[in-house]
Amino acid sequence: MVPERTAEIEDTVRAVLRDILGLSVDRAAAFDATTPLFGALPELDSMAVAGVLTELEDRLGILIEDDDIDGETMETFGSLVQFASGKALI
């Protein structure tokens, strides 16, 4: 992976979570690869997951199919960034 592009994708994922979930800049900035998301953030319910994925598609110019998503995709910030990177850096 291209490190610059990976950092850009991480920043985009962080911004999407802030915007869709209404998180503060400081709270989202504190996320690292191990920060739990789905099931740990009360703001991230199933409707919010759909919003996050749709916004990632728009901002990263990617296509996310239903069968691309599994239980691990939204488990942690790192797994979501890895997923988005895998789609964007193909």
Side-chain angles (χ1 to χ4, degrees):
M1 281 191 261
V2 178
E4 302 84 37
R5 182 73 169 131
T6 304
E8 176 187 332
I9 292 167
E10 183 176 323
D11 290 345
T12 300
V13 170
R14 197 177 306 277
V16 166
L17 290 173
R18 270 195 330 262
D19 294 348
I20 298 297
L21 304 181
L23 304 176
S24 70
V25 172
D26 291 339
R27 186 173 176 200
F31 289 177
D32 64 22
T34 64
T35 301
L37 296 180
F38 194 72
L41 295 177
E43 301 91 346
L44 189 59
D45 59 17
S46 57
M47 291 299 291
V49 167
V52 166
L53 295 174
T54 299
E55 192 65 20
L56 285 174
E57 285 182 318
D58 290 346
R59 292 191 192 187
L60 294 174
I62 60 176
L63 177 62
I64 300 173
E65 302 287 341
D66 288 342
D67 59 348
D68 292 338
I69 307 300
D70 61 28
E72 294 178 8
T73 304
M74 303 293 285
E75 187 174 350
T76 65
F77 180 71
S79 64
L80 182 56
V81 169
Q82 183 176 8
F83 170 78
S85 295
K87 290 300 223 171
L89 299 176
I90 293 177

